[in-house]
Amino acid sequence: MRVFVTGATGYVGAAIVDALVERGHEAICLVRPGSRLRGAAAASPLARVVPGDLLQPASYRDALAGAEAVVHLVGIIREAPSRGVTFARVHEEGTQRLVEACVEAGFAADGSGSRRFVHMSALGARPGATTGYFRSKWTAEEIVRASGIPHVIFRPSVIFGPGDAFVNMLAGLARLPLTPVIGDGRYRMQPVSLRTVADVFVKALTYAPVNVAFDVGGPEQLPYNDMLREIGAAIGKRRVMLVHAPLPLMKPVVRALGRFPFFPITTNQLAMLLEENICREGTPFYAAYDTPPIRFADGIREYLRAK
């Protein structure tokens, strides 16, 4: 199958492109100038680079016309308004431009579902969400649903795996004599393995369910404190000493410094952390795509090592 992939050079994108070519699919990768493919697929004849920009459909219209499916992964977690990088522009306008190009290429006319659109959203996306990130992700979902294109939408929680940003950042904190935690640390997350995410995205190209959306999380809902302790155990630290910073003190700090790239968290990210990131309706995607659950503790031990 010829699959047009956006966001192919990102952390998740590289894993999905690798999974595509490993299973014999041809990955047609939209890549912005200055970026390049990484991972095993970079050397595969089944991975083809198409230079272009998501917001300029003319740059990829011909490549899209020859595709049998689309995997749309482009997204940002942090805005840079001075450079025109905003949630509205990337998630909403970018998705709108791509969907329009797909309709022009005849995706919506194929009612059989053989040409489908697999879309990366985010766990927590919903109307009236507390953050611009979640609201823009929901708007992008609505654009996909209204397109008439057979589609599958996935909303992953925090994704962990080799080379991830989040767990490796937490591992750095866990190695400190005292590990800072914003608030009480009881807010839960449902981290999911990168291997699971790549597996279901590729299977969604051919498996039966279409015009569906799945929350995607791991098999456990873990309080943030427990995640840090599991990470500590994985890196060989017997005890992680947690120091909880009161929210009334931390919120103004994050508000003041979150707009600077060097600061590790933004107000959007803090709000998402505190509201909990869990699959409230369960995880039926495991059965739908016949994919095995991977526990957080088991998964992180594959790439975190004691130092």
Side-chain angles (χ1 to χ4, degrees), residues 3-304:
V3 185
F4 185 83
V5 185
T6 73
T9 61
Y11 171 65
V12 176
I16 290 176
V17 172
D18 279 353
L20 284 169
V21 300
E22 284 169 7
R23 300 178 202 189
H25 298 293
E26 180 184 349
I28 305 166
C29 305
L30 181 66
V31 176
R32 296 186 64 181
S35 297
R36 58 188 178 87
L37 292 182
R38 53 181 178 166
S44 172
L46 289 175
R48 176 162 64 92
V49 170
V50 175
D53 188 315
L54 184 64
L55 294 168
Q56 298 175 9
S59 67
Y60 56 84
R61 190 170 283 119
D62 290 346
L64 189 61
E68 298 167 89
V70 168
V71 172
H72 181 36
L73 304 170
V74 168
I76 58 169
I77 194 65
R78 195 168 193 148
E79 295 181 296
S82 63
R83 296 190 284 114
V85 180
T86 64
F87 297 139
R89 186 166 172 78
V90 176
H91 299 157
E92 299 175 19
E93 185 180 347
T95 301
Q96 183 68 54
R97 297 284 183 90
L98 178 60
V99 162
E100 288 171 355
C102 287
V103 172
E104 289 178 16
F107 275 66
D110 184 355
S112 69
S114 60
R115 296 182 80 187
R116 62 184 67 174
F117 192 106
V118 185
H119 178 70
M120 169 79 87
S121 185
L123 186 60
R126 62 195 186 279
T130 56
T131 70
Y133 174 78
F134 282 149
R135 291 192 298 272
S136 67
K137 283 289 192 177
W138 179 258
T139 299
E141 285 191 27
E142 294 283 71
I143 291 167
V144 173
R145 276 188 281 270
S147 68
I149 302 171
H151 61 268
V152 178
I153 296 169
F154 290 117
R155 306 185 188 108
S157 182
V158 172
I159 300 170
F160 65 88
D164 67 38
F166 186 66
V167 169
N168 277 285
M169 182 269 290
L170 294 186
L173 294 178
R175 289 187 175 97
L176 297 174
L178 299 175
T179 299
V181 177
I182 297 177
D184 62 16
R186 295 177 184 172
Y187 33 83
R188 294 170 297 169
M189 309 179 83
Q190 199 160 343
V192 61
S193 169
L194 178 63
R195 192 159 66 242
T196 297
V197 173
D199 187 43
V200 298
F201 264 83
V202 176
K203 286 177 176 176
L205 298 170
T206 54
Y207 274 48
V210 291
N211 302 331
V212 292
F214 290 100
D215 290 350
V216 177
E220 308 152 293
Q221 296 179 352
L222 298 172
Y224 184 79
N225 291 334
D226 290 352
M227 286 179 62
L228 286 167
R229 294 185 181 107
E230 291 284 12
I231 290 168
I235 62 176
K237 193 168 183 179
R238 287 187 177 181
R239 185 181 181 189
V240 179
M241 297 292 293
L242 305 179
V243 178
H244 296 88
L247 277 175
L249 293 180
M250 290 305 300
K251 283 185 175 180
V253 173
V254 174
R255 193 179 307 117
L257 298 178
R259 65 182 184 274
F260 297 109
F262 68 82
F263 198 69
I265 189 169
T266 67
T267 52
N268 259 286
Q269 292 167 323
L270 178 59
M272 291 188 285
L273 191 67
L274 296 177
E275 75 173 35
E276 298 195 312
N277 197 242
I278 58 174
C279 301
R280 301 181 189 277
E281 304 299 325
T283 51
F285 77 92
Y286 282 109
Y289 295 102
D290 189 27
T291 192
I294 298 172
R295 293 181 62 248
F296 182 68
D298 296 334
I300 62 175
R301 278 173 169 77
E302 295 178 2
Y303 63 99
L304 291 182

